[in-house]
Amino acid sequence: MTEPDPTTKAAGAVGRTLLDSMGANIVEVEVMPKRPTAGAAKGSGAGLIVTIDGPAGTGKSTVARLLAKRLGVEFLDTGAMYRAAAAVAIDAGIGMGAPDKIVALVASQDMHFEWESDPPELVCGGKSMMKRIREADVTRIVSPVASIPGLRRDMVRKQRAIARAHPRLVTEGRDQGSVVFPDADVKFYLDASAQVRSRRRFEQLVAQGTIKGEPAEERALLQEIVARDLSDSTRRDGPLICPEDAVRIDTSDMTLEQVVDELEKRVRARVR
Ligand code: DC
């Protein structure tokens, strides 16, 4: 993982980078049919697994979704699955003191994506989880929930089953290239300094009106990101690591468009 950059990639530079591009300047991509026959990387009959791992705040989800569209394949957000597990636990009133109960409850739920939606809608126990999984209480507890070994085993099984049903996939998370799909066709690891990532999050929350934009709020976000990085990268099962055979890209000074362009170029070069 990239250490926090002591020189701090200045806020001005960040303004031109990834998060900025997620707003008004968002890159227009051609929306391709789910399973195109022409123009897509690797013939449509063949499977294509592209993994994108990395810490929070690197823009992985947005990049993965746009890359999947450009390649004409599906997009899997595995963080959403861990978030849904955390939401299910909170809503059932089960705390971290009873990990086995969390594992059993989550395993008993029908968790699936509705693939017709964009992004695919995550449904759990018959309810859409799309709003709930982004709420603050879920974000606070998701990393400890994601460190429960039995829960990770369940998620890995579910993710592999999804890939069997949807063999042309860009999947993003923390362990996709290292644990879930070690034989993936192309693996990426996106990174950025903690300061850049917390600044992006800060700008996003200010734009949403969720926070006021005070320096103390930005400091708190930085602390939260550093704590989550530590928790995600030091757990025993499926820790956040850069797989040896992954292409590592530091997005600190790149726009969203540049990142997606770079990944698309590398996928097409590898699997043509
Ligand atoms: O990418 P995200 O912020 O939505 O992920 C939420 C949490 O889930 C994060 O703390 C890391 C964890 N996670 C994981 O452990 N393994 C994955 N494959 C994806 C996410």
Side-chain angles (χ1 to χ4, degrees):
M1 200 181 346
T2 303
E3 287 297 314
D5 178 358
T7 59
T8 305
K9 310 268 182 187
V14 176
R16 282 175 284 133
T17 58
L18 204 66
L19 235 213
D20 197 31
S21 315
M22 290 178 187
N25 300 332
I26 197 156
V27 57
E28 289 293 328
V29 294
E30 187 188 353
V31 180
M32 298 178 77
K34 290 267 154 141
R35 293 177 189 285
T37 50
K42 214 173 172 191
S44 63
L48 173 66
I49 301 287
V50 177
T51 61
I52 305 181
D53 292 301
T58 48
K60 279 189 318 297
S61 283
T62 310
V63 166
R65 189 149 63 94
L66 295 178
L67 179 66
K69 276 186 182 169
R70 288 198 191 178
L71 298 173
V73 305
E74 316 239 49
F75 154 64
L76 175 61
D77 176 355
T78 62
M81 298 172 72
Y82 285 96
R83 286 172 176 273
V88 164
I90 295 170
D91 295 346
I94 307 174
M96 282 305 298
D100 293 350
K101 282 193 182 163
I102 296 180
V103 176
L105 179 63
V106 172
S108 74
Q109 305 272 313
D110 168 40
M111 186 187 287
H112 69 271
F113 287 93
E114 303 277 351
W115 296 93
E116 300 71 32
S117 314
D118 181 20
E121 180 165 11
L122 181 56
V123 175
C124 201
K127 276 196 309 203
S128 171
M129 303 301 286
M130 300 304 273
K131 277 215 181 105
R132 181 72 184 98
I133 60 174
R134 302 292 159 201
E135 285 169 7
D137 57 340
V138 171
T139 300
R140 261 195 307 275
I141 202 181
V142 63
S143 188
V145 168
S147 71
I148 303 171
L151 186 100
R152 296 202 73 82
R153 279 195 293 278
D154 183 31
M155 292 295 156
V156 170
R157 210 169 24 81
K158 285 182 162 78
Q159 289 157 16
R160 289 180 178 154
I162 288 171
R164 279 194 295 278
H166 302 267
R168 293 171 60 75
L169 204 58
V170 174
T171 176
E172 65 95 350
R174 305 294 191 283
D175 59 349
Q176 297 301 285
S178 55
V179 172
V180 187
F181 303 110
D183 298 327
D185 296 276
V186 192
K187 299 180 184 179
F188 294 105
Y189 186 89
L190 297 191
D191 212 347
S193 71
Q195 283 91 344
V196 166
R197 291 183 286 123
S198 62
R199 161 64 39 165
R200 286 174 184 161
R201 184 83 190 119
F202 177 74
E203 288 176 349
Q204 196 179 37
L205 293 174
V206 171
Q208 285 169 0
T210 311
I211 58 174
K212 291 189 209 134
E214 287 167 3
E217 292 170 325
E218 188 171 0
R219 281 197 297 276
L221 283 171
L222 177 59
Q223 277 174 5
E224 209 177 275
I225 279 201
V226 170
R228 193 135 74 96
D229 284 356
L230 185 70
S231 161
D232 287 340
S233 55
T234 55
R235 68 171 168 245
R236 217 188 45 198
D237 289 290
L240 169 65
I241 55 158
C242 175
E244 258 179 31
D245 49 350
V247 178
R248 186 184 194 125
I249 295 175
D250 189 324
T251 70
S252 301
D253 294 322
M254 293 171 80
T255 65
L256 176 67
E257 185 174 3
Q258 286 168 339
V259 178
V260 181
D261 283 350
E262 181 67 24
L263 269 54
E264 183 187 7
K265 193 179 73 192
R266 287 176 182 268
V267 173
R268 290 190 186 278
R270 277 290 179 96
V271 299
R272 76 174 80 241

